[in-house]
Amino acid sequence: MTLKQQLLQICNERVDKRINDYKEEIALIKESIESNDKGDSEDDDSGNGKLLNDLEKNLEHLNDAQKTKIYLQNIRTSINSNDVVLGSLVKTNLMNFYISTSIGKIDLEGESYYAISLNSPIGQLLRNKLVNDQFEFNQSKYIIKEII
């Protein structure tokens, strides 16, 4: 398995975990709402209001995670491009970036990679850059050493 395939697999695993976590949280909230509805207290409405709010937030997060999962399916690990595009692995003088989705730091084979979205601030700076191109981010100067 290539390095880009491994990174994509880790991104997919992390998104799958998010999806499962949101589904579990939604199930717990629904269970709590149902048990509150069975209670005979008249003051339970305020508790259900918060639970319904939490349910709505978790449903939104689940929807976003499911969209991310679909987005990851657009990444082709075999792509070879001279410029930075979706699916590129970008090695700079300071950090390594995997252009995919905003997952964060991935440690693999003794190196750190940052899975970022093209829509993120640094992703926007990297978009369409070539080897030896430079850019500044957070007062640090990056030089692109390699694009895989």
Side-chain angles (χ1 to χ4, degrees):
M1 187 180 295
T2 68
L3 181 57
K4 289 200 307 187
Q5 288 171 329
Q6 289 175 302
L7 289 167
L8 181 58
Q9 181 179 355
I10 291 168
C11 288
N12 274 302
E13 289 169 357
R14 289 194 186 171
V15 170
D16 287 341
K17 182 177 180 342
R18 281 186 194 167
I19 289 170
N20 288 333
D21 289 349
Y22 291 129
K23 285 181 177 178
E24 287 176 14
E25 186 67 21
I26 289 165
L28 287 171
I29 293 169
K30 285 180 178 180
E31 191 178 298
S32 293
I33 290 171
E34 287 173 15
S35 66
N36 278 354
D37 286 345
K38 291 176 186 171
D40 57 355
S41 172
E42 295 173 11
D43 297 326
D44 282 339
D45 285 347
S46 63
N48 272 359
K50 181 174 179 352
L51 287 170
L52 288 170
N53 194 15
D54 290 346
L55 178 63
E56 188 176 315
K57 285 179 185 176
N58 277 282
L59 286 169
E60 286 176 24
H61 292 313
L62 174 61
N63 187 37
D64 289 344
Q66 289 171 329
K67 286 179 184 175
T68 299
K69 182 74 174 169
I70 293 167
Y71 180 76
L72 287 173
Q73 293 171 356
N74 293 318
I75 297 176
R76 301 289 165 248
T77 56
S78 59
I79 193 166
N80 287 319
S81 179
N82 292 328
D83 60 332
V84 178
V85 296
L86 181 65
S88 293
L89 178 56
V90 183
K91 294 187 175 192
T92 73
N93 59 318
L94 300 177
M95 295 178 159
N96 301 317
F97 300 99
Y98 179 54
I99 311 301
S100 53
T101 189
S102 297
I103 296 290
K105 185 178 179 184
I106 298 172
D107 290 317
L108 188 62
E109 297 179 3
E111 286 204 55
S112 294
Y113 302 89
Y114 291 86
I116 62 166
S117 165
L118 274 174
N119 295 327
S120 68
I122 199 160
Q124 290 290 314
L125 293 172
L126 281 167
R127 183 186 300 262
N128 301 323
K129 292 275 193 258
L130 303 167
V131 172
N132 294 322
D133 280 353
Q134 301 177 17
F135 64 95
E136 280 191 43
F137 184 75
N138 286 343
Q139 301 166 345
S140 295
K141 189 173 184 176
Y142 293 80
I143 303 167
I144 298 174
K145 300 291 188 186
E146 186 178 10
I147 300 171
I148 302 170

